[in-house]
């Protein structure tokens, strides 16, 4: 039987403020206190897993063990078919050293042009890992499909959002209302799976 979440505090194991905001918004209906790894000055672990779930588990376990509280971590990526699924697991690293996603999006565009491919299909993938201080971990994954847009459009969202257009829609994730995005994103899909597994009996805010 899956472990239910009964604690009153949860760490979002991320130093990415965009991710922290999105996950906090998804957790908003529940009667619990949400903090973050950055707010607690926790070190960022080395993400050396070979898939999204492994990296999410590394981050969640590191935060839970360091703080002695349950931690929820996200590992996500933007995959473009024309460039063999890049940047994928290394999506955040393409924005280094300054976490500049304008630079990262330009790198993606340049790589697509160099590939010579006309295929503009792409997807976002999100893995979530919920870890307790005793080491138990529960993971889920969500995927959404879309097309790559150039030039990027919109100043809402974060990361690669301005160059991603969800299939069936004509706005990028950088243009849409954030609340709507939260309801349909790869992160929302993964989170709904986690809710079904662990949060059915968690008290909700009145």
């Amino acid at each position: 039987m899956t472990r239910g979440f009964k604690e009153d505090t949860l760490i979002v194991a991320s130093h990415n403020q965009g991710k922290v905001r999105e996950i906090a918004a998804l957790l908003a209906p529940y009667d619990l206190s949400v903090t973050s790894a950055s707010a607690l000055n926790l070190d960022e672990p080395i993400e050396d897993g070979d898939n999204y779930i492994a990296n999410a588990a590394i981050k969640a376990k590191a935060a839970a063990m360091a703080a002695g509280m349950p931690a929820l971590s996200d590992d996500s990526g933007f995959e473009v078919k024309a460039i063999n699924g890049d940047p994928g697991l290394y999506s955040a690293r393409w924005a280094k050293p300054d976490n500049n996603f304008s630079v990262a999006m330009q790198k993606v565009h340049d790589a697509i042009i160099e590939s010579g491919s006309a295929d503009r299909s792409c997807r976002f993938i999100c893995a979530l890992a919920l870890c307790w201080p005793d080491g138990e971990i529960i993971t889920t994954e969500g995927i959404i499909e879309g097309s790559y847009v150039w030039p990027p459009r919109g100043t809402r969202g974060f990361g690669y959002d301005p160059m991603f257009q969800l299939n069936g829609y004509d706005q990028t994730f950088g243009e849409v209302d954030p609340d709507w995005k939260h309801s349909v994103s790869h992160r929302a899909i993964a989170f709904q799976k986690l809710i079904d597994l662990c949060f059915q009996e968690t008290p909700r805010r009145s």
Side-chain angles (χ1 to χ4, degrees):
M1 185 174 179
T2 304
R3 182 172 181 172
F5 190 86
K6 300 178 181 178
E7 291 76 9
D8 59 7
T9 301
L10 180 62
I11 302 168
V12 178
S14 177
H15 289 73
N16 180 318
Q17 294 309 305
K19 287 186 179 183
V20 171
R21 285 193 298 271
E22 282 203 2
I23 295 173
L26 291 167
L27 290 166
Y30 297 94
D31 189 18
L32 52 87
S33 175
V34 178
T35 186
S36 69
S38 56
L40 296 174
N41 295 315
L42 301 181
D43 291 335
E44 294 186 73
I46 296 173
E47 299 174 39
D48 54 2
D50 58 6
N51 57 61
Y52 299 103
I53 286 177
N55 280 338
I58 287 169
K59 290 182 281 190
K61 185 174 182 179
M65 297 303 177
M69 294 186 287
L72 175 62
S73 179
D74 156 300
D75 194 64
S76 54
F78 179 57
E79 299 185 351
V80 180
K81 190 172 182 180
I83 51 176
N84 301 313
D86 283 340
L89 281 175
Y90 307 104
S91 294
R93 298 182 198 179
W94 279 40
K96 299 295 184 181
D98 301 317
N99 292 320
N100 187 330
F101 279 91
S102 293
V103 171
M105 287 188 284
Q106 183 68 56
K107 289 179 181 177
V108 169
H109 176 64
D110 291 346
I112 292 171
I113 296 301
E114 185 176 346
S115 77
S117 174
D119 191 338
R120 294 296 182 262
S121 58
C122 57
R123 64 181 186 172
F124 272 125
I125 299 178
C126 170
L128 292 177
L130 175 61
C131 183
W132 282 266
D134 61 12
E136 182 173 354
I137 299 177
I138 294 172
T139 62
T140 61
E141 191 171 62
I143 299 173
I144 55 172
E145 306 280 349
S147 58
Y148 138 86
V149 170
W150 195 262
R153 302 198 312 259
T155 58
R156 301 167 120 176
F158 64 96
Y160 297 91
D161 284 351
M163 69 185 310
F164 177 82
Q165 186 170 294
L166 183 65
N167 285 343
Y169 297 88
D170 59 7
Q171 289 182 302
T172 71
F173 266 14
E175 296 174 301
V176 299
D177 179 83
D179 289 339
W180 182 83
K181 178 194 164 185
H182 293 160
S183 71
V184 301
S185 72
H186 49 309
R187 194 163 290 112
I189 293 169
F191 190 71
Q192 184 58 54
K193 293 178 182 178
L194 192 66
I195 288 172
D196 293 342
L197 289 172
C198 302
F199 286 81
Q200 290 298 308
E201 298 182 8
T202 305
R204 287 177 170 263
R205 298 186 191 279
S206 54

